[in-house]
């Protein structure tokens, strides 16, 4: 489990089934790390660069093959504070970044609506590239989030250009409520 609170960003490179990421913290083989929101297992660490095996399903659903700077978060430990929202690291898919505009100290960012549009609700939570965010506005084909300067500075959201894909994860509580109501 993760909280969607990004600890750091790191340079990434994908090659032949492995993702290599420079990280500013210690990890051990077997540790779980959310990389742009995708839960991956550390297979090697040389003190600076982590190697992750990346399976076909993960490559199909995520932007890890093309990502050059990724958001990083280590897994929660029992007793840790939960500052974001509950995130599993099981990425649902990718959506395209559409546009941004700035108003005061807020940056508004628009993304295309995912296929699980039922899970995108105003004031609901969504994770984009592993960042826990609140949906500010929902339209028929897109949704908007608002991002404060701190989040832009500490994550790779500031690097997005229109048309680029980001990983998303629908709020886990919304997912289970929907499942229960459909039984």
């Amino acid at each position: 489990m993760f909280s969607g609170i990004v600890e750091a960003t790191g340079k990434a490179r994908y090659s032949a089934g492995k993702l290599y990421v420079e990280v500013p913290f210690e990890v051990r083989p077997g540790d779980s790390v959310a990389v742009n929101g995708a839960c991956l297992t550390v297979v090697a660490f040389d003190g600076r660069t982590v190697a992750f095996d990346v399976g076909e399903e993960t490559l199909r659903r995520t932007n890890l093959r093309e990502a050059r700077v990724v958001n990083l978060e280590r897994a929660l430990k029992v007793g840790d504070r939960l500052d974001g929202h509950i995130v599993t690291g099981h990425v649902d898919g990718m959506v395209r970044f559409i546009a941004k505009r700035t108003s005061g100290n807020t940056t508004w960012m628009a993304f295309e609506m995912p296929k699980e549009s039922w899970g995108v609700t105003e004031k609901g939570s969504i994770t984009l590239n592993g960042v826990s965010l609140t949906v500010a506005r929902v339209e028929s084909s897109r949704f908007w989030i608002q991002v404060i300067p701190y989040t832009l500075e500490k994550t790779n959201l500031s690097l997005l250009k229109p048309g680029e894909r980001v990983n998303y994860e629908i709020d886990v509580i919304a997912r289970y409520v929907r499942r229960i109501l459909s039984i």
Side-chain angles (χ1 to χ4, degrees):
M1 289 296 210
F2 302 92
S3 67
I5 302 298
V6 173
E7 290 182 65
T9 59
K11 292 181 181 176
R13 176 180 59 84
Y14 174 80
S15 177
K18 289 204 183 297
L19 182 69
Y20 302 92
V21 181
E22 293 179 13
V23 298
F25 45 70
E26 292 291 318
V27 292
R28 300 180 315 230
D31 285 354
S32 293
V33 177
V35 180
N36 266 4
C39 180
L40 301 178
T41 302
V42 173
V43 297
F45 179 57
D46 67 7
R48 178 180 172 159
T49 302
V50 176
F52 301 97
D53 288 325
V54 184
E56 291 177 9
E57 176 70 1
T58 302
L59 289 174
R60 187 177 68 76
R61 288 185 182 261
T62 69
N63 62 6
L64 296 178
R65 190 186 319 251
E66 67 243 20
R68 297 295 168 251
V69 176
V70 293
N71 293 324
L72 301 165
E73 179 188 1
R74 289 175 284 188
L76 290 172
K77 294 178 183 170
V78 174
D80 280 353
R81 287 182 47 198
L82 183 61
D83 288 333
H85 71 275
I86 298 171
V87 178
T88 64
H90 303 164
V91 171
D92 291 300
M94 294 175 282
V95 293
R96 292 207 182 273
F97 170 59
I98 298 170
K100 71 178 174 182
R101 63 179 173 81
T102 303
S103 173
N105 73 339
T106 299
T107 299
W108 292 83
M109 301 179 81
F111 296 86
E112 72 182 354
M113 189 63 72
K115 64 181 180 183
E116 296 90 356
S117 60
W118 56 264
V120 180
T121 59
E122 219 169 274
K123 307 301 178 230
S125 298
I126 191 165
T127 305
L128 299 173
N129 273 358
V131 182
S132 172
L133 297 159
T134 301
V135 176
R137 184 178 307 132
V138 176
E139 298 171 358
S140 61
S141 62
R142 63 184 172 185
F143 66 95
W144 292 82
I145 58 166
Q146 58 178 350
V147 184
I148 61 172
Y150 179 88
T151 302
L152 281 178
E153 179 184 319
K154 299 294 184 184
T155 70
N156 65 8
L157 295 178
S158 64
L159 304 175
L160 290 176
K161 293 176 180 38
E164 288 186 325
R165 299 182 305 173
V166 300
N167 300 334
Y168 73 91
E169 181 180 336
I170 297 296
D171 181 71
V172 69
I173 294 171
R175 179 181 315 284
Y176 287 116
V177 167
R178 182 172 191 262
R179 175 74 175 138
I180 290 166
L181 294 175
S182 68
I183 294 178

